[in-house]
């Protein structure tokens, strides 16, 4: 088993993507022996109603007949009406978990005071609690393109350590994939939480373990090899970069990185 | 396929990285950059060997000091020279200068190329590449027939733009290249951050501007689009210290094997290395 926890289909409004279909990803996976890909539809980051992107992915999955097994995530926008009904419906239809996109859906991972409420509402936490009830994982990607080259219509922000802390400290039971997170964005309390929280998984897309032994040591101190996973951020990036890190850095446990994510999925446990 | 097997492309073919650096450490003068950081240099060469890279071209720019005095530049270049002597035939040097000190800049380029056998000139963001302050430098490089490698990025985010207000991009490179068609330019690290699509489009029609592929950004299809606009013979392999991402660009790009070998070898630039070896 070889799981890639960080892949997408669909369109990115700011530049063209190649291999951005299930068939395209399957080709990339087979090139390097990846057997499973955790996938969501990028369109759901930009559609007002994210669930229509989930339905698109569902349709694509129905006609897909490649070798790679996909673990589809439904993009859930807790700031949109009927999100819970849609989320439950997608799991019933075979989706393997949820993805949150706070930077693109306009809500915070922390509790927020809304204009029509009298007390703070923690919308992201409601999704995590639902995920716990349904025993499915949640993925939250810290950022996609490098901020120095982003379109002026994109955000220059990434999700930071404290943002993750505000959410993940409130529910420690759900399996959560924190993808494309840069160690420079970690805060002390998020580092402590990572050490403590058993089912938080990170990839290395924003870490340079060959160049920076310090960043690698810090990451391993926080999450250990038990919680590091292979993630390629395909099709945004060339996949070989992550394989080179995994194969040429002796401190990393290659076999564990390929399979750690299985713990998060009912069908793979 | 195992990524290690794919690395045969590097192990079995000539590979030159045209954009690397050496570090300085505190020495007798009590300032950073007094002595070559030999530990970093040796560790870097271990990585270079691990990935099958034959030769690297290094420099020691002074990025944080917009005034970078001639004395500081000389010291930086002496460190580079020390590295070239530590690994002769494997490490080649590029001279870092500040074009604002015109006479000193000319003398330092002469010293580095004629006496220290350096193969080019490396610039940082003290001035835009098309600033008139660069004209004397470009003319000196034409006279000595050495390439000019400029730190480049079309920066989009306000914070990095504020930190590097005179960071050149493809348009600056194209402007100077059109003014000096006899000069040879390298647009530094198209994967170094910034809008790389902007960068390669801007220099597409300037045959005397080459680009190195170094940097941490390994967006797919950076290499395919670069080859499409510039051709493989105008691309140079480099990592700028970001080994995994830079190597992955070559391994995974949907371009021909012949084009990959052309980029790795840097055929068009071999003469600069060969001349330095004599």
């Amino acid at each position: 088993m070889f799981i890639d926890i960080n892949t997408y289909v669909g369109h990115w409004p700011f530049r063209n993507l190649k291999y951005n279909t299930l068939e395209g990803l399957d080709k990339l996976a087979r090139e390097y022996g990846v057997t499973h890909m955790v996938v969501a539809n990028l369109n759901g980051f930009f559609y007002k109603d994210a669930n229509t992107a989930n339905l698109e992915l569902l349709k694509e999955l129905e006609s897909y007949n490649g070798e790679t097994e996909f673990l589809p995530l439904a993009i859930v926008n807790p700031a949109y009406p009927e999100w819970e009904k849609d989320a439950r419906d997608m799991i019933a239809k075979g989706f393997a978990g949820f993805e949150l996109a706070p930077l693109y859906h306009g809500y915070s991972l922390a509790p927020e005071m809304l204009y029509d409420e009298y007390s703070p509402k923690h919308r992201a936490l409601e999704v995590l609690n639902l995920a716990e009830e349904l025993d499915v994982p949640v993925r939250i990607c810290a950022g996609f393109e490098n901020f120095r080259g982003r379109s002026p219509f994109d955000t220059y922000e990434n999700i930071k350590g404290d943002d993750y802390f505000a959410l993940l400290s409130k529910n420690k039971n759900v399996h959560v994939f924190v993808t494309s997170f840069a160690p420079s964005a970690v805060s002390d309390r998020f580092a402590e939480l990572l050490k403590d929280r058993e089912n938080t998984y990170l990839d290395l897309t924003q870490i340079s373990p060959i160049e920076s032994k310090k960043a690698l040591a810090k990451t391993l101190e926080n999450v250990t090899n038990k919680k590091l996973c292979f993630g390629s951020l395909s099709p945004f990036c060339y996949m070989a970069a992550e394989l080179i890190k995994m194969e040429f850095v002796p401190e990393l446990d290659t076999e564990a990185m390929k399979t750690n994510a299985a713990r998060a999925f009912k069908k793979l446990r | 396929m195992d990524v290690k097997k794919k690395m045969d492309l590097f192990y079995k073919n000539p590979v030159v990285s045209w954009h690397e650096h050496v570090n300085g450490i505190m020495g007798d003068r009590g300032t950073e950059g007094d002595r070559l950081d030999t530990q970093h240099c040796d560790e870097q060469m271990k990585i270079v060997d691990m990935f099958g890279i034959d030769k690297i071209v290094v420099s020691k720019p002074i990025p944080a000091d917009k005034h970078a005095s001639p004395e500081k530049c000389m010291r930086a270049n002496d460190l580079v020279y020390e590295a070239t002597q530590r690994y002769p035939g494997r490490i080649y040097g590029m001279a870092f200068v500040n074009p604002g000190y015109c006479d000193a800049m000319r003398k330092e380029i002469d010293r580095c190329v004629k006496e220290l056998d350096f193969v080019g000139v490396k610039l940082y963001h003290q001035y835009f590449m098309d600033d008139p302050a660069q004209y004397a430098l470009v003319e000196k490089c034409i006279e000595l027939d050495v390439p000019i490698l400029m730190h480049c990025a079309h920066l989009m985010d306000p914070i990095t733009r504020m930190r590097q207000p005179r960071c050149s991009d493809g348009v600056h490179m194209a402007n100077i290249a059109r003014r000096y068609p006899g000069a040879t330019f390298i647009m530094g690290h198209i994967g170094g951050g910034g809008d790389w699509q902007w960068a390669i489009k801007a220099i597409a029609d300037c045959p005397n501007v080459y680009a190195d592929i170094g940097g941490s950004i390994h967006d797919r299809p950076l290499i395919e689009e670069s080859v499409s606009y510039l051709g493989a013979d105008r691309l140079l392999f480099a990592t700028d210290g970001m080994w995994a991402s830079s190597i992955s660009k070559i391994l995974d790009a949907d371009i021909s094997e012949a084009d990959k070998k052309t980029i790795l070898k840097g055929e068009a630039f071999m003469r600069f290395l060969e001349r330095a070896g004599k």
Side-chain angles (χ1 to χ4, degrees):
Chain A
M1 191 187 301
F2 185 175
I3 307 167
D4 184 339
I5 65 162
N6 195 354
T7 76
Y8 293 87
V9 294
H11 296 283
W12 188 247
F14 313 113
R15 74 175 166 89
N16 63 323
L17 296 174
K18 289 176 77 180
Y19 300 103
N20 58 338
T21 60
L22 295 178
E23 273 184 28
L25 289 177
D26 174 53
K27 197 175 168 203
L28 297 179
R30 282 189 284 116
E31 175 89 18
Y32 290 113
V34 171
T35 58
H36 295 72
M37 284 179 152
V38 183
V39 69
N41 184 358
L42 285 170
N43 297 351
F45 282 61
F46 302 97
Y47 291 168
K48 282 177 281 188
D49 181 359
N51 201 51
T52 50
N54 300 329
L55 294 170
E56 286 175 359
L57 177 55
L58 187 65
K59 200 172 173 190
E60 197 179 344
L61 281 160
E62 282 164 2
S63 59
Y64 165 74
N65 57 7
E67 285 176 26
T68 309
E69 189 171 332
F70 287 100
L71 300 157
L73 302 181
I75 298 178
V76 176
N77 179 0
Y80 212 75
E82 298 297 306
W83 68 265
E84 185 178 339
K85 180 173 167 288
D86 289 339
R88 287 182 185 278
D89 187 37
M90 288 300 111
I91 299 300
K93 286 186 161 75
F95 275 65
F98 300 139
E99 170 127 11
L100 292 176
L103 291 178
Y104 297 92
H105 289 163
Y107 63 89
S108 169
L109 293 183
E112 298 165 277
M113 186 58 93
L114 305 179
Y115 74 96
D116 54 354
E117 299 278 345
Y118 293 104
S119 58
K121 204 164 168 51
H122 201 166
R123 296 181 286 191
L125 182 60
E126 291 176 24
V127 181
L128 238 63
N129 292 341
L130 178 64
E132 183 183 4
E133 179 198 322
L134 300 173
D135 190 15
V136 295
V138 176
R139 180 169 73 182
I140 310 170
C141 186
F144 291 89
E145 292 189 296
N146 182 274
F147 66 96
R148 292 169 295 174
R150 287 181 192 169
S151 161
F153 293 100
D154 198 352
T155 171
Y156 294 118
E157 295 294 316
N158 282 346
I159 301 175
K160 297 179 184 66
D162 274 345
D163 303 322
Y164 282 110
F165 176 85
L167 177 64
L168 304 191
S169 61
K170 299 293 179 192
N171 182 326
K172 296 186 180 176
N173 300 321
V174 180
H175 294 269
V176 176
F177 297 106
V178 174
T179 48
S180 302
F181 179 74
S184 56
V186 80
S187 62
D188 288 346
R189 56 185 186 163
F190 186 48
E192 286 308 310
L193 181 68
L194 284 172
K195 283 177 199 160
D196 176 46
R197 203 177 186 284
E198 279 302 309
N199 39 21
T200 315
Y201 308 88
L202 264 69
D203 64 23
L204 292 175
T205 52
Q206 295 303 311
I207 298 170
S208 306
I210 297 167
E211 298 81 1
S212 174
K213 291 290 176 195
K214 209 182 271 182
L216 173 66
K218 194 77 194 158
T219 302
L220 283 173
E221 186 190 327
N222 291 338
V223 295
T224 75
N225 269 309
K226 286 182 185 166
K227 293 183 268 184
L228 272 186
C229 297
F230 174 78
S232 67
L233 190 52
S234 290
F236 284 89
C237 297
Y238 294 113
M239 185 184 272
E242 302 313 308
L243 290 146
I244 291 167
K245 293 174 194 174
M246 202 167 69
E247 295 289 346
F248 286 91
V249 177
E251 293 90 339
L252 296 172
D253 183 339
T254 306
E255 288 311 307
M257 284 182 71
K258 289 178 179 177
T259 57
N260 278 337
R263 297 200 300 273
F265 296 97
K266 274 185 276 190
K267 64 189 293 188
L268 299 181
R269 279 177 206 145
Chain B
M1 187 194 277
D2 189 327
V3 75
K4 283 185 173 169
K5 280 207 181 91
K6 270 195 150 186
M7 285 297 298
D8 276 351
L9 182 68
F10 281 69
Y11 300 139
K12 294 182 177 172
N13 292 290
V15 183
V16 181
S17 173
W18 272 90
H19 191 156
E20 304 299 341
H21 297 289
V22 290
N23 288 347
I25 53 172
M26 200 86 83
D28 296 339
R29 293 191 191 91
T31 53
E32 193 269 338
D34 285 351
R35 286 194 294 121
L36 176 70
D37 184 345
T38 52
Q39 189 185 340
H40 169 266
C41 186
D42 293 345
E43 281 169 7
Q44 179 166 247
M45 288 312 285
K46 276 185 198 162
I47 295 172
V48 162
D49 287 339
M50 181 168 80
F51 290 128
I53 297 165
D54 301 299
K55 301 172 194 294
I56 60 172
V57 182
V58 306
S59 60
K60 173 78 181 79
I62 304 171
D65 182 356
K66 65 180 177 183
H67 301 299
S69 70
E71 293 75 25
K72 280 186 180 174
C73 293
M74 277 185 80
R75 280 218 295 278
N77 294 328
D78 286 344
L79 299 190
V80 171
Y81 179 66
E82 201 182 327
T84 65
Q85 296 308 292
R86 195 171 177 85
Y87 291 93
R90 306 277 324 268
I91 297 185
Y92 292 80
M94 276 204 172
F96 172 74
V97 289
N98 181 348
Y101 298 93
C102 193
D103 288 343
M105 170 273 293
R106 285 198 187 102
K107 280 181 195 156
E108 182 61 0
I109 293 177
D110 268 332
R111 180 180 83 97
C112 289
V113 175
K114 292 178 181 170
E115 295 172 27
L116 308 184
D117 246 359
F118 282 15
V119 299
V121 168
K122 169 75 166 80
L123 298 174
Y124 221 72
H125 50 73
Q126 274 80 14
Y127 294 88
F128 285 121
M129 191 65 248
D130 60 352
D131 190 300
Q134 305 277 18
Y135 294 171
L137 179 143
V138 177
E139 286 158 15
K140 175 51 86 177
C141 291
I142 292 172
E143 177 198 323
L144 297 176
D145 186 27
V146 289
I148 301 161
L149 165 60
M150 177 51 116
H151 168 86
C152 281
H154 183 66
L155 298 167
M156 300 299 292
D157 73 299
I159 293 174
T160 318
R161 272 212 303 255
M162 190 178 68
R163 286 180 184 152
Q164 301 186 20
R166 284 178 296 279
C167 186
S168 298
D169 64 24
V171 170
H172 301 105
M173 298 304 289
N175 288 342
I176 194 80
R178 289 187 183 114
R179 184 180 177 91
Y180 290 104
T184 304
F185 299 95
I186 307 170
M187 184 173 74
H189 44 50
I190 41 180
D195 184 347
W196 53 264
Q197 288 178 302
W198 167 292
I200 56 177
K201 279 192 98 158
I203 63 164
D205 293 334
C206 302
N208 56 332
V209 184
Y210 296 74
D212 85 57
I213 67 153
S216 62
I217 309 305
H218 51 286
D219 290 351
R220 190 189 288 271
L222 183 150
I223 296 296
E224 291 88 329
E225 285 201 22
S226 299
V227 169
S228 159
Y229 277 102
L230 311 180
D233 52 354
R234 280 175 59 198
L235 292 173
L236 298 166
F237 177 71
T239 80
D240 193 18
M242 304 308 295
W243 308 97
S245 58
S246 300
I247 291 167
S248 76
K249 292 174 218 176
I250 296 294
L251 294 185
D252 277 357
D254 291 330
I255 58 172
S256 71
E257 186 94 348
D259 279 350
K260 291 183 181 186
K261 289 177 184 172
T262 299
I263 297 168
L264 290 176
K265 187 177 180 185
E267 185 71 51
F269 274 52
M270 285 308 288
R271 65 189 174 94
F272 298 118
L273 299 186
E274 286 162 4
R275 191 175 57 199
K278 285 176 186 165

